[in-house]
Amino acid sequence: MAADVRTAPVPTPLTEPYWDAARRGELVLQQCADCARFTHPPAEWCRFCGSERRGFAPVSGVGVVETFSVVHRTFAPGFAGRVPYVIAWVGLDEQPGLRMFGNVLGVPADDVHMGQRVELVFEEIDGFGTVPNFQPAGKERSCGSE
């Protein structure tokens, strides 16, 4: 049986700035140079004003669990040893409607709930670097899949 190795993200020219920042332990999201709204995931143009002038800017990674799923059975490489785990849709504080997916780490799956405040935490993936995830706000910083 093959080792339970997690598949690393495959950056594209559009997502490379996001993944480069993540490997440095920073969360940046695409921001429109014209209307200043954030877009995630990155897009070829601003979904608010249509501008093609975009860059990337740091965000806090603090927000609220808007919805989530507890995965009890997975076929995703590198996640079999983690079940049950939580994948959450997190609304970030920077702007209404700005959301991103991530795992909620550091607590049992039963302790995650909608409306829960979470904050950014980075998880190491062998051969890639770190990827952004979340943990309950105020919890001592962790790294990994506890």
Side-chain angles (χ1 to χ4, degrees):
M1 182 176 190
D4 193 25
V5 177
R6 187 163 166 195
T7 302
V10 179
T12 67
L14 188 60
T15 64
E16 189 70 44
Y18 173 84
W19 292 117
D20 283 348
R23 286 189 286 260
R24 294 189 310 268
E26 182 182 13
L27 181 61
V28 300
L29 298 182
Q30 190 178 60
Q31 187 175 35
C32 178
D34 292 324
C35 74
R37 300 284 308 255
F38 288 99
T39 298
H40 187 73
E44 294 292 336
W45 56 85
C46 176
R47 68 183 180 117
F48 300 99
C49 73
S51 174
E52 293 181 5
R53 294 180 353 109
R54 314 140 342 279
F56 283 80
V59 294
S60 68
V62 175
V64 174
V65 173
E66 292 187 355
T67 192
F68 67 95
S69 290
V70 178
V71 179
H72 293 277
R73 184 174 178 194
T74 183
F75 299 98
F79 285 85
R82 298 169 67 138
V83 293
Y85 65 89
V86 175
I87 182 75
W89 190 232
V90 174
L92 298 176
D93 288 352
E94 275 71 18
Q95 97 192 7
L98 179 61
R99 297 173 182 95
M100 65 181 286
F101 278 109
N103 294 120
V104 179
L105 307 176
V107 294
D110 289 346
D111 289 350
V112 177
H113 58 274
M114 290 182 359
Q116 183 174 20
R117 297 285 298 162
V118 292
E119 63 190 10
L120 181 67
V121 64
F122 286 94
E123 180 180 10
E124 182 77 27
I125 294 182
D126 289 341
F128 182 78
T130 58
V131 297
N133 278 304
F134 297 95
Q135 69 181 11
K139 181 173 173 28
E140 186 172 319
R141 290 276 178 191
S142 67
C143 186
S145 59
E146 296 176 6

